[in-house]
């Protein structure tokens, strides 16, 4: 989609002209202008409709007389005072969905919020951001009937008085959109295409040109270093396991100290999770190409930060493996020696994500001494049972970090809900023969998984674990901001967190 910002004209020269009304049916200035130019078509249509200006409502006038526009689309904003950045993104997405369903390829949005609290440049930028996220498709593997799926909004013009302010605000958001769409692409790719080495290649291709340092460790290097837990998960697969280390050093651009300790993001990158020898039943296995969504979110976040040249030092570490059964696969009952030195009794090979994260967490602390660590992982089915599809679970050893994540999530719409860490649960992962076992009991599975990870976090190191198994992808009804299976969850959240609190 081509997005541009331009000063309002008397009327657009083609495509849909999208204008707004607040709750109560109060037409915004552009809507009044459109009504006048069309000889009152809008106000006549209003009389015959149930449109009241509530958010999510639309009123459409096709081929309006007196205008070059293909249609007028009136969008309801709801109460002006409740239209914040997130709401604007949703409105941008809703309009885009509507236009694509109608089959329009060009549109001009001219949306003002009478007595609203968001500045016009920001309004324009957030509308564009929502439109961009909604216009995303993943159809590279379709070879026919494309027109059935392919109604696309190709050119979007946002009419706004302060073009310079809009462009400036959108530059930062476009970077976040780039990162989010990269994360979606990675999650949507099938696992025969996107195996660990291919993921690592794509991370390099996407990030090196932006100035991110990207290193890839293969199995030989990891073996030498002692990544016994991560390598254990990958040993049943024909595909080589990889660890990708991404560094963006953006601090110090304004005379600040360059060596500031980085913030660190760690991602679970199980490119396919068959369960291993503890094989998943067929219906639970489909969709497990998305078990690398944590790694995708970390990669997308690095892209967002680098693209907008965030003034922060950030490191992203992703552990990429494929969890497969086979003659070389780890067995239930095996004991692995992790990079931290702690031994792990594997009692279920399907609890593999925590094994991958254990070594990635140890590595990031040993090498970078980060300011904090946030890990993201599609870790447990239990988090879906607990929180469904609306919140990710967050576990943290640091109240401030948990609070900041919660607030960032309310701002972006990627909400998180805190669950407990507590020594009382830690008992559940005691092993009879090793330091820890990789499963707890039948209950509180997300908490015991988090307790397991905590064993690999140094005392005093601020850390938060996001269990994103319920939010990384969606079946059935699609969320307004995310039209594909993969949502790209986490990129907006982490970008917001960094922007609010950790930039010099
Ligand atoms: N990748 C799965 C978790 C998952 C399940 C993600 C459903 C998204 C949707 C994870 O590796 C897993 O298999 N977890 C097990 C843990 C159990 C064996 C302790 C689970 O949740 O059943
Ligand atoms: Mn598993
Ligand atoms: Zn998994």
């Amino acid at each position: 989609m081509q997005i541009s910002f331009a000063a309002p004209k008397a009327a657009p020269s083609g495509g849909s002209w999208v204008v707004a009304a607040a709750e109560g049916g109060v037409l915004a200035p552009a809507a009044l202008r459109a009504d006048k130019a069309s000889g009152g078509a809008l106000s006549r249509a209003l009389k015959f409709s149930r449109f009241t200006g509530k958010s999510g409502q639309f009123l459409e006038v096709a081929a309006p007389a007196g205008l070059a526009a293909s249609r007028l689309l009136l969008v309801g904003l709801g109460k002006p005072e409740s239209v914040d950045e997130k709401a604007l993104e949703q409105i941008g997405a809703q309009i885009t969905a509507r236009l694509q369903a109608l089959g329009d390829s060009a549109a001009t949005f001219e949306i003002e919020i009478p007595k609203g609290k968001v500045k016009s440049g920001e309004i324009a930028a957030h509308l564009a951001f929502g439109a961009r996220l909604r216009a995303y498709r993943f159809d590279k593997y379709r070879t026919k009937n494309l027109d059935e799926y392919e109604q696309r909004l190709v050119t979007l013009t946002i009419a706004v008085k302060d073009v310079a302010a809009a462009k400036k605000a959108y530059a930062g958001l476009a970077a976040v959109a780039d990162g989010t769409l990269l994360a979606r692409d990675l999650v949507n790719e099938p696992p025969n295409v996107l195996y660990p080495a291919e993921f690592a290649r794509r991370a390099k291709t996407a990030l090196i040109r932006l100035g991110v340092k990207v290193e890839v460790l293969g199995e030989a290097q990891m073996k030498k270093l002692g990544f016994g837990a991560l390598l254990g998960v990958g040993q049943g697969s024909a595909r080589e396991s990889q660890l990708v280390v991404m560094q963006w050093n953006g601090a110090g651009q304004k005379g600040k100290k360059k060596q500031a300790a980085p913030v660190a993001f760690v991602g679970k990158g199980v490119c396919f999770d068959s369960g291993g020898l503890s094989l998943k039943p067929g219906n639970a296995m489909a969709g497990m190409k998305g078990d690398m969504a944590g790694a995708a979110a970390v990669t997308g976040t690095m892209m967002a930060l680098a693209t907008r040249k965030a003034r922060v030092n950030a490191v992203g570490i992703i552990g990429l493996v494929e969890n497969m059964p086979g003659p070389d696969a780890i067995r239930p009952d095996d004991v692995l020696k992790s990079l931290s030195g702690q031994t792990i009794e594997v009692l279920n090979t399907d609890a593999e994500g925590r094994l991958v994260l254990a070594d990635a967490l140890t590595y990031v602390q040993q090498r970078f001494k980060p300011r904090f660590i946030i890990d993201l992982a599609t870790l447990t089915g239990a988090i879906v049972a607990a929180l469904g599809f609306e919140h990710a679970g967050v576990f943290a050893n640091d109240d401030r970090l948990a609070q900041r994540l919660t607030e960032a999530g309310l701002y972006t719409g990627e909400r998180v809900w805190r669950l407990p860490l507590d020594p009382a649960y830690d008992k559940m992962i005691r092993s009879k023969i090793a330091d820890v076992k990789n499963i707890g009991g039948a209950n509180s599975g997300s908490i015991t998984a988090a307790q397991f990870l905590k064993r690999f976090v140094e005392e005093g190191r601020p850390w938060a674990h996001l269990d994103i198994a319920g939010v990384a992808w969606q079946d059935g009804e699609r969320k307004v901001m995310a039209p594909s299976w993969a949502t790209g969850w986490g990129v907006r959240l982490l970008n917001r967190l960094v922007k609010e609190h950790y930039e010099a």
Side-chain angles (χ1 to χ4, degrees):
M1 189 168 54
Q2 280 262 353
I3 299 180
S4 57
F5 300 92
K9 294 195 284 187
S13 49
S16 281
W17 187 7
V18 185
V19 293
E23 200 162 307
V26 192
L27 298 184
L32 286 170
R33 219 169 69 235
D35 188 40
K36 211 166 173 192
S38 62
L42 258 187
S43 44
R44 270 199 310 284
L46 268 170
K47 267 190 228 151
F48 300 109
S49 81
R50 300 173 63 190
F51 184 96
T52 60
K54 282 216 174 89
S55 107
Q57 285 185 340
F58 285 100
L59 178 69
E60 189 201 329
V61 178
L67 283 175
S70 55
R71 62 169 54 74
L72 289 174
L73 189 64
L74 184 68
V75 55
L77 300 171
K79 295 198 179 72
E81 63 275 15
S82 64
V83 183
D84 57 9
E85 289 92 336
K86 184 176 62 181
L88 283 159
E89 290 163 14
Q90 269 158 1
I91 291 165
Q94 281 166 343
I95 299 169
T96 303
R98 188 77 171 205
L99 293 174
Q100 290 187 153
L102 291 165
D104 233 332
S105 63
T108 300
F109 293 5
E110 191 170 350
I111 305 221
E112 306 122 319
I113 307 167
K115 297 197 215 100
K117 58 184 178 189
V118 186
K119 289 196 204 112
S120 75
E122 294 281 332
I123 292 175
H126 285 277
L127 285 169
F129 182 61
R132 171 106 191 272
L133 292 182
R134 176 67 199 204
Y136 171 81
R137 311 243 165 159
F138 189 78
D139 52 11
K140 64 191 275 199
Y141 295 107
R142 293 194 199 282
T143 63
K144 53 188 182 187
N145 298 337
L146 266 175
D147 43 343
E148 195 181 310
Y149 305 98
E150 188 121 12
Q151 300 148 335
R152 280 173 193 268
L153 188 56
V154 182
T155 33
L156 170 59
T157 307
I158 314 261
V160 54
K161 286 196 186 95
D162 196 345
V163 172
K167 282 187 174 160
K168 185 159 176 251
Y170 184 63
L173 291 172
V176 184
D178 287 351
T180 305
L181 302 195
L182 171 67
R184 286 183 188 170
D185 277 344
L186 291 167
V187 173
N188 280 325
E189 280 287 0
N192 58 327
V193 174
L194 196 90
Y195 48 91
E198 175 62 14
F199 190 140
R201 260 195 297 280
R202 293 209 190 179
K204 277 187 172 171
T205 310
L207 296 176
I208 288 175
R209 65 188 171 82
L210 300 172
V212 177
K213 192 171 154 203
V214 183
E215 297 161 64
V216 180
L217 277 62
E219 287 183 355
Q221 280 165 291
M222 282 193 274
K223 192 161 180 204
K224 234 192 201 154
L225 293 167
F227 281 68
L230 186 155
L231 290 173
V233 176
Q235 79 191 33
S237 167
R239 307 292 198 181
E240 187 180 352
S241 301
Q242 314 264 278
L243 188 88
V244 181
V245 181
M246 302 166 268
Q247 293 178 69
W248 167 249
N249 290 313
Q253 290 173 14
K254 279 193 177 163
K256 287 251 176 177
K257 260 205 303 182
K258 225 184 168 128
Q259 293 312 318
V263 302
F265 305 116
V266 171
K268 170 180 173 181
V270 178
C271 293
F272 187 71
D273 181 11
S274 70
L277 286 175
S278 312
L279 199 66
K280 287 181 185 292
N283 56 340
M285 200 187 295
M288 282 300 142
K289 68 172 183 179
D291 209 18
M292 32 53 75
V298 170
T299 309
T301 300
M302 296 306 289
M303 176 180 241
L305 295 177
T307 303
R308 69 174 183 81
K309 298 195 168 31
R311 291 190 306 279
V312 67
N313 291 343
V315 26
I317 299 218
I318 55 178
L320 301 171
V321 300
E322 187 181 46
N323 187 23
M324 297 291 272
D328 296 326
I330 42 166
R331 294 155 286 252
D333 288 347
D334 278 0
V335 172
L336 303 174
K337 189 170 182 99
S338 69
L339 180 62
S340 74
Q342 297 178 81
T343 55
I344 305 166
E345 186 185 14
V346 175
L347 290 175
N348 187 322
T349 65
D350 198 9
E352 84 297 340
R354 64 199 74 184
L355 303 174
V356 174
L357 289 173
D359 282 349
L361 286 168
T362 303
Y363 187 76
V364 77
Q365 293 170 98
Q366 285 181 352
R367 181 162 167 196
F368 294 103
K369 312 257 171 295
R371 197 159 164 191
F372 67 72
I373 307 167
I374 296 174
D375 77 72
L376 296 95
T378 48
L379 204 60
T380 65
I383 203 71
V384 191
L387 299 176
F389 309 117
E390 303 304 331
H391 288 87
V394 59
F395 300 84
N397 64 1
D398 185 276
D399 292 344
R400 193 172 69 162
L401 189 55
Q403 181 61 28
R404 287 177 170 181
L405 278 166
T406 303
E407 282 165 14
L410 288 172
Y411 177 85
T412 67
E414 298 162 303
R415 291 176 298 165
V416 306
W417 198 265
R418 193 173 183 186
L419 292 165
L421 288 164
D422 192 287
Y425 296 99
D426 201 56
K427 295 189 200 77
M428 296 169 73
I429 52 172
R430 277 187 197 155
S431 160
K432 290 202 172 73
I433 64 166
D435 296 331
V436 65
K437 60 176 176 170
N438 80 327
I439 50 170
N443 302 316
S444 57
S446 305
I447 304 177
T448 47
Q451 289 295 154
F452 180 96
L453 298 179
K454 187 172 181 292
R455 299 254 188 139
F456 298 86
V457 175
E458 295 160 359
E459 199 61 43
R461 177 88 53 205
W463 159 71
H465 155 58
L466 292 167
D467 193 334
I468 62 171
V471 293
W473 61 79
Q474 50 186 349
D475 290 306
E477 202 188 316
R478 301 281 191 265
K479 300 215 155 125
V480 60
M481 304 295 288
S484 82
W485 185 73
T487 58
W489 197 99
V491 177
R492 282 165 283 167
L493 177 80
L494 297 180
N495 175 73
R496 174 73 184 175
L497 177 82
V498 168
K499 186 162 182 271
E500 281 297 286
H501 301 290
Y502 301 99
E503 287 196 55

